[in-house]
Amino acid sequence: MYADAETIRRILTAAGDTWAVVGLSNNEARAAHGVAEVLQRYGKRIVPVHPKAETVHGEQGYASLADIPFKVDVVDVFVNSHLAGPVADEAVAVGAKAVWFQLGVIDEAAYERTRAAGLDMVMDRCPAIEIPRLG
């Protein structure tokens, strides 16, 4: 319901190649680290967003979406569901084209707000699983 094939394809192929990955740090044990690496392999520029603002996979990190000094196309969210809504709202505020909530990240109210603002959104899916399926 929150991840139809057409929206997934549009985000992965047409929304743009600059992906802010919220929750990405240098902790290799976290899912965000591996997913960001897959996105890079498929030609996406990843932008780490984490309070530590670490450089990850060779890309400068930022403490928040608002701190990024250039436009991001997609905001990929790796935070707990109760924290995800404000991130989606910030994605709308910074002019992103799409929001992607990772596996297990669910906030139906944020989904409705984000879609109402005109952004594409996928919830409870993983782009690292979906992008190879595009063929």
Side-chain angles (χ1 to χ4, degrees), residues 82-101:
H82 71 279
L83 301 171
V87 175
D89 296 337
E90 195 176 358
V92 171
V94 301
K97 297 175 191 166
V99 174
W100 191 298
F101 279 11

Side-chain angles (χ1 to χ4, degrees), residues 7-124:
T7 302
I8 289 170
R9 178 174 289 280
R10 190 168 48 246
I11 292 172
L12 291 172
T13 63
D17 290 334
T18 302
W19 285 52
V21 183
V22 179
L24 175 58
S25 71
N26 277 312
N27 183 346
E28 294 181 14
R30 304 285 301 181
H33 198 272
V35 170
E37 194 170 40
V38 171
L39 289 170
Q40 280 187 319
R41 272 202 315 268
Y42 279 88
K44 308 298 182 191
R45 176 185 183 190
I46 58 107
V47 182
V49 179
H50 188 278
K52 294 179 182 175
E54 299 174 319
T55 296
V56 185
H57 297 310
E59 294 286 348
Q60 170 64 49
Y62 298 90
S64 71
L65 291 174
D67 291 340
I68 300 171
F70 49 85
K71 188 158 174 42
V72 296
D73 302 308
V74 180
V75 176
D76 189 6
V77 182
F78 280 92
V79 299
N80 292 328
S81 294
H82 71 279
L83 301 171
V87 175
D89 296 337
E90 195 176 358
V92 171
V94 301
K97 297 175 191 166
V99 174
W100 191 298
F101 279 11
Q102 283 295 145
L103 291 171
V105 180
I106 299 169
D107 182 330
E108 293 177 10
Y111 180 89
E112 296 301 328
R113 288 194 311 273
T114 303
R115 296 290 295 135
L119 282 70
D120 275 331
M121 184 164 178
V122 168
M123 190 162 63
D124 194 27

